[in-house]
Amino acid sequence: RRQALELGCGCLPRTPQASVLLVTRRGVLEDSGCVWCSVKMKAVILIGGLDILRPLTLSLPQPLIEFCNKTLLLHQLEALKAAGVTDVVLCVNEKNLPKSWSDVIARYEAELGMRMQCSMERASLGTAGPLKLAQALITNDGSSREPFFVLNGDVLCSFPLKDMIHTHLKHGGIGTVMTTRNDNPSKYGVVVADEKSGQIQHFVNRPETYVSDLINGGLYIFNVEIFSHIPGGERASMNDMLPQMAMDGSLYHLESKGYWVKMTDVRTFLSAVGPQLEMTRFLQPSQLSPSSGAAVPSSTQIVGNVLIDASATIGTDCKLGPDVVIGCARTRTAPAQRVRTQCTHSAANTALGPACISRPNCVVEGGVRIEKSTIMSGVTVEAHAVVHDTLVGWNSRIGSWAWVTSSILAEDVVVKTGILLNGATVLPHKELSVSVRQPQILI
């Protein structure tokens, strides 16, 4: 025990109980390194509804849609790799997978140096059933008893994964839930926990009156004992399993103070740009302009957090920011049949921001103003157009002097010159020559 307390990098104070736990489970302590961080863990990503971000998901499944220059899946994989995870199990429903899925997974394996396996559901098993289905992959056919991460595939956050490991080993329970504070807790599962011990007392699912603003953040660590709480071969829900574990006194939580978003719709997708770039400034400030290495003319003004890939071409007299992302075609997950150019181009006298993402292969002509919007690859925004609070899908074109606000455009949508769109949701391969002044879906 004394040897255990003297070892380590000093990343967090250690307790005799945690040291003994590691000695008991692993048999021997390593000669160097932190006794907390020496635990090697797998991770499970629950990829459920692949079509939440409609109409974009008519062209690509949600995990492969890019957000701030990376797919949603890649954001999670990189966070897991940074926490020391090298083995990931993806729980997916096989009927929802695109033909390119295997190629994407193989590429991520090579780029990240991670082993990735897929557990295929033939029918929906809910939010807990997929864990039981993947039990053999998670436990190496029963030979491993290490704890493992579980992540909901629609969650992006600051990913305090190492802190979760520390918390989990300290309390010795079966599970640890990452929680966060939310201004609208009635939309989620509210957590009631002991403030001192962190032990979860009970859950309240979508309460009608105020109970707490502490919610379930969709990130977990479980011991292998969790499988005894999940019935096999049938649909099972976290909403049923977690309250029972809380009643048994085996569930604890770690409250995250950082950024958190659940991608429930396109609105949450758009609103997450600012917090994601602020986290980038805190963790990787060299990626933001003017430190990123991108060639930005001296006449172009950079305001706030702006992320520009080195391959992008920026015109003169532009105003970029705050919260702008201009990227390059790095992951190649977007529909590629209509690629127009090799880099993002911003013409003279163009203003981008705030909260704007301009994706690869875009052409932004002079006099354009883009605010609080995401522009996917292959998009052309012609001269003097205004795009506000809008998501523009791949290979679309917005004509000159058009005004597009609070709208969602799917792949290959053409908005003619001078057209006004207000609150329009447009499905793929449409050409709009008439203004839409009231919110409606255009099929």
Side-chain angles (χ1 to χ4, degrees), residues 60-261:
L60 277 178
Q62 179 173 334
L64 301 186
I65 291 177
E66 293 192 349
F67 173 76
C68 290
N69 280 3
K70 300 173 186 176
T71 64
L72 297 175
L73 177 60
L74 185 57
H75 279 286
Q76 294 189 325
L77 292 174
E78 289 185 343
L80 289 168
K81 181 177 174 63
V85 174
T86 58
D87 203 331
V88 178
V89 177
L90 303 171
C91 294
V92 295
N93 192 313
E94 62 182 2
K95 70 178 183 180
N96 294 326
L97 293 179
K99 295 180 180 179
S100 60
W101 179 260
S102 297
D103 294 337
V104 172
I105 297 306
R107 186 168 73 249
Y108 286 165
E109 281 188 307
E111 291 177 357
L112 299 175
M114 303 175 78
R115 181 189 180 206
M116 299 172 63
Q117 304 175 83
C118 289
S119 174
M120 299 292 189
E121 303 173 51
R122 289 183 171 83
S124 177
L125 295 175
T127 52
L131 293 179
K132 188 70 172 182
L133 181 66
Q135 181 176 353
L137 294 178
I138 297 169
T139 64
N140 295 334
D141 293 321
S143 64
S144 172
R145 298 192 58 81
E146 298 288 353
F148 57 94
F149 287 109
V150 177
L151 286 69
N152 286 349
D154 57 359
V155 168
L156 286 183
C157 62
S158 51
F159 293 109
L161 301 179
K162 289 187 177 180
D163 290 342
M164 290 184 69
I165 297 174
H166 300 156
T167 299
H168 187 75
L169 293 178
K170 285 170 66 176
H171 64 62
I174 293 178
T176 301
V177 181
M178 190 205 80
T179 57
T180 186
R181 303 283 174 177
N182 190 273
D183 293 334
N184 191 9
S186 62
K187 293 174 57 178
Y188 307 96
V190 172
V191 178
V192 179
D194 184 274
E195 293 185 2
K196 292 184 178 180
S197 67
Q199 187 176 45
I200 295 177
Q201 297 169 341
H202 64 274
F203 292 83
V204 182
N205 190 33
R206 300 180 185 273
E208 296 182 1
T209 59
Y210 180 84
V211 177
S212 168
D213 62 351
L214 192 67
I215 66 169
N216 180 350
L219 271 68
Y220 313 90
I221 294 180
F222 291 124
N223 292 347
V224 294
E225 288 80 6
I226 189 66
F227 295 116
S228 65
H229 292 262
I230 309 173
E234 60 183 83
R235 187 178 176 87
S237 172
M238 289 281 192
N239 291 336
D240 297 327
M241 181 184 71
L242 295 179
Q244 184 60 51
M245 293 176 62
M247 290 178 60
D248 296 340
S250 59
L251 198 60
Y252 293 76
H253 83 106
L254 169 74
E255 181 181 344
S256 173
K257 304 293 186 180
Y259 143 69
W260 178 89
V261 63

Side-chain angles (χ1 to χ4, degrees), residues 388-402:
H388 174 79
D389 193 28
T390 290
L391 193 151
V392 183
W394 307 274
N395 307 308
S396 294
R397 176 180 291 270
I398 297 177
S400 59
W401 298 102

Side-chain angles (χ1 to χ4, degrees), residues 290 294-302 314-320:
V296 178
S298 59
S299 62
T300 290
Q301 183 181 1
I302 301 292
I314 307 299
T316 58
D317 300 316
C318 297
K319 182 179 179 182
L320 307 179

